[in-house]
Amino acid sequence: MSLPVWAKEDVRITSPNGRIVFSFDLTKTAPTYRVTYDKQTLIDDSPLSLLFRNDSAFGANLTLGKPKLRTVDETYDLVVGKVKTARNHCREAVIPLINKKGSKRQLNLTVRVFDDGVAFRYEFPKQANWTSYTLMEENTTFRLTQHPVARALFLPNFISSHEGEYTTILLDSIKNDTLMDVPALFEFPGKVYLAITEAALVDYAGMYLTKKKGLLTSQLSPLPGQNGTKVKAVLPHQTPWRVLLISDRAGALIESNIITSLNEPCKLTDLSWLKPGKTTFPWWNGNITPDTTFQPGHNFETAKYYIDFCADNHIEYHSVVEYGGHEWYVSDGVNYVPGPNADVTKPLPGLNMQQICDYGRQRGVGIRAWVYWSALYPKLEEAFALYEKWGMSGLMVDFMDRDDQEMVNIQNEILQKAAEHKLHIQFHGAYKPTGRHRTYPNELTREGTLNYETNKWSGLDTPDHDISFPFTRMLAGPTDMHMGGFRAVPKEKFRIQYTRPLMHGTRCHQLAMYVVMESYLQILADYPDAYKGQPGFDFLTQVPTTWDETRVPAAEVGQFVTITRRSGTDWFVGSITNSTARELTIKLDFLPEGNYTAELYADAPDVDQEPNHLRQQTRTVNRNDVLTVKLASGGGHAIHLRRQ
């Protein structure tokens, strides 16, 4: 076993399997680190420093205390997640760094090295000569070697819903000071992959990346109106973990549980009320109802129509959102932006939320509601107490569009208060997840990605765009996509429709996305009659949203992916491709011994003209079988395996 070793000014930590090595060195100007994978240097000497207010820096003229070393090997259960039981296996070093001059302030660099990556963070222990800090810059750098290819979302500024198209570009070609969202993926020669993101974002600013003088450098979201200040904190305190997911197999990055392993255990004692599942979201389809005997709108009858559909098809939730461009609660704003008299505790006249919740409970369907965050937050306790009294199950909290320290704290406060009132949360217009669903499993999903809602106004979400998610944004955790559109058309026939939006790709591509994309609250965004009697809808009623096991048997970045997920004794398999048609082989050796009934959903031969067509087949298989499946351009393939 290779144990960590250190000389006077350096520390070396090796992963349990010996393939990843983190090397720390303390120079006169700054601490530096290196990361190697199978003896190949991925990150060369990269300086670390912090700049506090009044130009007070922490980096030069430090002395190294004796590192504290340990091996961690434990398992933990996730209430919601891509696995039920995760293993946290790593080697850790806590490296004390002490300022030689003046107040002798101490900071610890804590490093954990896993078989599939590295994480480190700055920790500020309680000390008599240092009680608080104001951080202007966190200069964590990443000197990537070998000129890797980057896949990342570039942003114009920090005010962002994080909904944009990903760019594939040589790292060397990215201009200095270009703001890069995380997770970002870097592909090295020989197909070695490194993704950079963060975990356990609490009481701190969200991290981005920029190139400064050619060196990839962390960039923190600034506090609004505070002259560039990034973080204000009282000791003891710690930063989020800076996470490097590393493997020569792209699928291993998707399988990794590093991010949840770096978060605190679940803080909720009563979990009996919490239920992941699927939900309607009528805003996407345009609030479509059939010919009715009632006036559609903000009323019980419209909600009842959707609730009955959910009850008949094993869909756990119905979402009350808006109608006719107006939110369900009183507001005098425009385009959903709260006006001065917005009140999330007052439904519009004619909308009885108690009656809707009562009816949902009778039919076994939970009721959720959409709210604009700035209308909710001033009345957080009052609103949550009322929603709990009504019997509401959860909320979509929208238009947050920031990840500065203030907004991060607001989101965590919303999450904690919601748990107190037995409400789950779905954040929209929000930054990427950082594993907080381990600590507060009532956070069921997050948006923060360009998704199928854009089909209502731009049509940018194509199969070529879809294939970027598993290797970028989804590496951080659950990703909400507004899925379930059942009106696919050939590319040349696509047009913008705000109601009854059209879809790119094939019906099977859409089915497979429910397995490929990790989200513990999946949306069935189309209207009921779009689903009734339609091929493939049975798959959507059966597919779970939280899993006991996840494996990625085949993946090629930007090209295709096959993901298998287990729930109980059932397995679900989803494969998607970009705009290139291809044939894939799927080995079923992930199955336990015994026979399984496989329900297969494949692109039909005529999907180029009729992309909603599919072929459904039932057969008996076992773990020795290998399936050959054909995916059309923009296509997909889905399988439900039941043990016989």
Side-chain angles (χ1 to χ4, degrees), residues 491-632:
K491 184 177 181 180
E492 65 274 10
K493 293 185 178 180
F494 184 88
R495 64 182 186 275
I496 303 303
Q497 293 182 183
Y498 195 81
T499 58
R500 298 181 177 88
L502 301 177
M503 299 292 291
H504 297 289
T506 69
R507 173 75 56 85
C508 278
H509 182 98
Q510 193 64 197
L511 300 186
M513 286 288 285
Y514 281 84
V515 183
V516 169
M517 298 308 297
E518 177 187 352
S519 180
Y520 320 131
L521 184 77
Q522 293 279 24
I523 289 178
L524 272 69
D526 229 326
Y527 57 96
D529 282 356
Y531 293 123
K532 292 177 182 177
Q534 284 292 309
F537 180 54
D538 58 329
F539 184 83
L540 298 191
T541 65
Q542 297 160 14
V543 65
T545 63
T546 189
W547 305 95
D548 296 326
E549 190 174 350
T550 291
R551 300 187 191 183
V552 186
E556 186 172 335
V557 175
Q559 299 296 315
F560 66 87
V561 67
T562 296
I563 299 183
T564 70
R565 302 188 192 267
R566 179 176 64 84
S567 175
T569 58
D570 283 16
W571 288 82
F572 292 79
V573 184
S575 302
I576 62 170
T577 182
N578 56 9
S579 57
T580 300
R582 67 185 76 243
E583 187 173 275
L584 300 178
T585 57
I586 302 174
K587 295 181 180 180
L588 301 185
D589 55 0
F590 56 84
L591 292 174
E593 293 291 343
N595 289 332
Y596 284 76
T597 299
E599 195 76 27
L600 299 97
Y601 303 80
D603 292 325
D606 64 347
V607 289
D608 288 346
Q609 295 78 39
E610 299 291 345
N612 295 301
H613 286 183
L614 58 83
R615 281 186 169 177
Q616 193 166 344
Q617 177 190 6
T618 302
R619 56 180 289 190
T620 297
V621 298
N622 61 48
R623 68 186 319 273
N624 298 316
D625 286 319
V626 178
L627 303 180
T628 300
V629 300
K630 292 183 178 181
L631 281 63

Side-chain angles (χ1 to χ4, degrees), residues 16 83 125 174 189 213 257 268 323 330 361 364 373 387 392 397 405 413 442 454 460 463 532 540 542 567 575 602 633:
V83 297
I174 299 174
K213 298 180 180 179
N257 295 302
L268 308 186
Y323 195 91
V330 169
R361 184 165 51 251
W373 82 270
Y387 299 165
M392 194 180 287
V397 184
Q405 184 185 19
E413 183 183 354
N442 61 317
T454 64
L460 290 176
K532 292 177 182 177
L540 298 191
Q542 297 160 14
S567 175
S575 302
S633 170

